[in-house]
Each structure stands twice: as structure tokens, then as C-alpha cells.
Amino acid sequence: MIERSVKDNLPVRELITGSESISPDTRVSILAERFYNEPNLDSLPLVKNGHPCGLASRGKILTTLAIRFGFALYGRKPISVIADTTPLVVHTDDTLNEVLGQAMARSFNDIYDAILVVDDEDKYVGWLSVKRLVIEQGNFLAKSIVQRELAISKAVEIEKLDKMKTSFMAHVTHELRSPITAIVGFAELMQMRFARQQLEDFPKYLSLLSSSSQNLRSIVNNILDLSKIEAGRMEVFNEDFSLCELLSEVLETCKMLVGEKPLSIEVDCPDPPATLYGDRIKIHQILLNLASNAIKYSDRGIIVISAKMTDELQLTVKDTGIGIKKTDLQRLFSAFDQLEDAKTRRHEGTGLGLNITKQLVQLLGGRINVESTFGVGSRFDVIIPQNIQNIVQEAS
Amino acid sequence: MKKPKTVMIIDDDERHLLTAKGLIEALGYIVEIHNSPFRTTEKVLKIKPDMVLLDVNMPALPGDRLCAILRSEPDLEDIPIYLYSANDEEILRKSVKQFQADGYICKGNVSALRLRVQQVLGD
């Protein structure tokens, strides 16, 4: 029965409308009375010794009796005299499609006559309403169209995802190999120079070696984070912490990331200093992801990181960077999708940062919004409900 | 004494320029570097290196397309050009064919880099 709606080769035994019957020897007047008294009774199959031998249809019987002298002529006779003695009889295993085909092949007046169903021994089992069969088939067709459309859109979706994953793989491969290449290269170079005691370039090499390792570390962390989130293994760990301390930690890291760029960073901490109960590490990661993105995509100007506490924690990162085109805003948060073409882009990265950020925010029950003007700058707002965390606090 | 042969490396990543330069110089060759796809043709024509290593992923103009541009210069038709990239080998193999490079060298594989440079330039 579960599969019923998706099959048009359903056996008709599952579509039987009724199993009542009447003896062919019954008098016409008695049958007529039943039709008068039971307005919903459309037809009564004639069955003798368990075998069907005819069909009395309401319309046809009543019409026959209504014509002049009809009742006088037939009233006392057995119904077999005026009933249809060659109704359509089908087997319980016949399918909806086959049976409807046979029903529709009948003459116009008979098309909607009930169909009798028999078992292997030709014994009467029940009758089928043609109207119901038509409705069933209609439902099936409608559903199959919907299912087909669903299947097509799913296939398109899968193909799109597949393409994105392939380009993501190429992307990540390059992003991983690039710092590894630098690390291997500098290590090899330093080994060679050390053997000849040429140490003058060592400070430069060491600093590049260290930044390449950190670059690699953050890419690997991103990939691991994302797989953890996707596997549903990322857990929330709440603790008390100072919001201002967290902001100044983020500021310190940001200063390192800015390097030589003419870029200033301002932090706006709530006054008086607030102590939060929440997942410190994830909130730190969210802020740092947004801030490092702002630094990456800004060549000059100011980046403002601010936090506000109401009944919600509101974190904002505003920059004067390259901004985001309106058409790109939609796919901004999807994984595997850096807005620039990998081969020609100016900015390194796996394109995972914002997707991870969004998923972390959602994990904390919050939401993230972005406003941006291309060429002017972007503003990311993260709102994390505090009451949820308080409830967690009470519960734990 | 014979003048040592010259390798020119074009890469937007300073780290890769530095390491490749150091490694190839240690083999006794002269290395010239250029950190952008722009003005590459001009530089290559001026320096006339014996071998060119081209990074692929660079801002605005990818190295594989740059390779085709270099090739279209009559003076650079026969110069050995190798793609030097962290991309997947499969992609590099295709780019080599499509953009008429002589081959590719995977970044990070130090011994392949040394071997290929020596093969192309001789000792």
C-alpha cells in the first residue's frame, strides 16, 4: 500500500470499491426499491453460486423501468432479464492500466459501468468503480510528473555540487601545496646554506618559513573544521569569559595580519566591561574569521570591530575594502566558492572561511548578515542570542 | 670560461621566487626573477633566458595563457618554457598541451626541479 501512489501497474485487487452482490433471481421490483432507497448505490453485480453473471446499473435499470409500461412489464421478472449479462470481468491481478484500457474500449454508454473482479477460480471478489480508477490514474500521473521534476532538479543540483566540489578540490590542492612548497624549499635552501655557513639570509628565510607554516596550519584547520561541522561533530562548550579580553586578543592577531598595509584597526568594547557566558573559542573564531577577511580584502582605511550587549550579543566587523557585488552576495556563504576565479585571483584562500563562520554562528543559535557596497566596503553583523546561553547555564 | 646559462622565473609569490632562485643558483646557473605576469614578454625578450619557469595561478593573467603569449613571439618560439605550479598534475598536463609549454614542474618537488633544469640546460 505504501508504494501505491507511485505505481500505475498496481493490481486492481487493491482498488476494489465494494463487494456487495445480488442474486440474478431477485425480482426487478425489489432491486428497484433498493435503488430508490439507497441513492449512493450505483450498481449491484449479479452473482450466482459465487460466480458473477451480470451487472445491474442504477441508471440503466431505472431508465428501463421509467419508460412506458416498464415497471408493469418487468416488475415481477427476475433481474437477469433486464440486467447487463455481459459485464466487464477482470482478474484480481490485472493492473490498473490494463483494466482502465479495457473499460475505455467499451461502447460509449457502458464506459462508466462497474467492473467485476474475480479470483483464480473465477469467483466474485468485488467490483471496481471506473470513476475511482480514473482518479487513481490521474493521481499517479500528477505524482509522477512532480516526481520527475523533483528528480530532474535534484540531478541538476547534484551536478552543480559535483562541479563545485571538483573546483574546490583543485582550489584546496593548490592552497595546501603552495605553503608546503615554500616550507620544503626554505628548509632545503637553509640546509644547503648551512653546510656552507652562509647564514646571512637566515632571518628572512626563517620568518617566511614560519609564516608559511602558519598559513598551512590555518588552511588545514579550516578543512578540518568544515568536515567536523559537516559530520555534525562540532560541539558547543560554554564558559564565562570577558568580552573585552576576547576583543583585544582578536585585535592582537589582526595587527599581525595587517603587516605593512596602511590599514588601522579599531575595537569598540562595551562599557562597562561585560562578562559573557558562551562558547568563547567559537565566538573568537567567528570574529577572527570576519576580521581577517576584512584585512585580506582591504588595501587601506579602517576596520572597526565592535561588540554590543543587549539581550543579544551583537558583533560587527566593518571595513573599507573592495566590497562585494550585489550579484555575489547570495553565494558569499557557500563553501567551495571563492568569488574570484582561482587561476587569476589576487587573494589566496580556500574560500571556506565565511561558510565556516556562518555554520559556527548557526551552531550558537545566531544569525549573520552582510551589507556591502562594491568598491566602498562591507559590514558583517553577527547576532547571538544570550537567553539561549543563559538557559544552557541554568540547565548545566 | 663559458658563460653560465640563465633561468628566468615568473611567479607572484615571493616565497616561491626566493626558494626556486636559491635552489637553481646552487646548481651553478644564473637566475632572473619577475613577480608579475605583466611586462613578462618585455623582460624575457630583454634577458633572453635559456629556460623559463612560469607559475600558473597569478592575478589577472594565468601563467598558462602567458605561455601561449610568449610562444607567439617569433624570438621565443624555441625557448624551453615550463609551468611551475602547485596545481594538480592532471590540470598541468592539459595546460602544457593547450598552451604549448614544453612541460611542467610540480612545486614542492625539489629533486624534480633540479633534475628538469639540469636536463634542459645541461651541466
Side-chain angles (χ1 to χ4, degrees), chain A residues 364-379:
Chain A
L364 300 181
R367 55 191 194 277
I368 183 165
N369 290 321
V370 56
E371 285 168 29
S372 188
T373 310
F374 187 59
V376 176
S378 309
R379 177 197 166 112

Side-chain angles (χ1 to χ4, degrees), chain A residues 170 173-175 177-182 184-186 188-189 192-193 196 204-205 208 211-212 215 342-346 348, chain B residues 13-16 18-19 22-23 25-26 56-62 64 84-89 91 95 107-108 110 114:
Chain A
T173 305
H174 181 267
E175 286 310 306
R177 282 196 189 133
S178 204
I180 291 172
T181 302
V184 170
F186 285 122
E188 181 82 15
L189 216 53
M192 282 164 37
R193 301 260 166 116
R196 283 183 247 142
K204 189 178 181 184
Y205 290 169
L208 286 164
S211 68
S212 300
N215 178 211
K343 265 194 192 170
T344 53
R345 68 215 163 92
R346 276 179 63 216
E348 303 262 297
Chain B
D13 190 324
E14 188 206 5
R15 302 171 304 176
H16 297 163
L18 260 179
T19 49
L23 291 168
E25 275 176 348
V56 173
N57 293 23
M58 286 189 286
L61 184 62
D64 46 11
Y84 179 57
S85 165
N87 279 339
D88 226 46
E89 287 196 66
I91 301 170
S95 289
K107 276 186 183 174
V110 175
R114 285 184 180 130

Side-chain angles (χ1 to χ4, degrees), chain B residues 8 10 34 36-49 52 54 61 65-77 79 81:
Chain B
M8 188 165 166
I10 295 104
H34 184 57
S36 153
F38 298 111
R39 313 189 66 145
T40 294
T41 315
E42 199 184 313
K43 271 221 154 177
V44 174
L45 282 169
K46 193 175 144 206
I47 291 166
K48 292 211 173 71
V52 175
L54 262 183
L61 184 62
R65 294 222 318 261
L66 185 57
C67 174
I69 293 170
L70 290 176
R71 271 285 180 254
S72 66
E73 285 290 325
D75 281 358
L76 303 178
E77 253 174 65
I79 191 168
I81 304 177

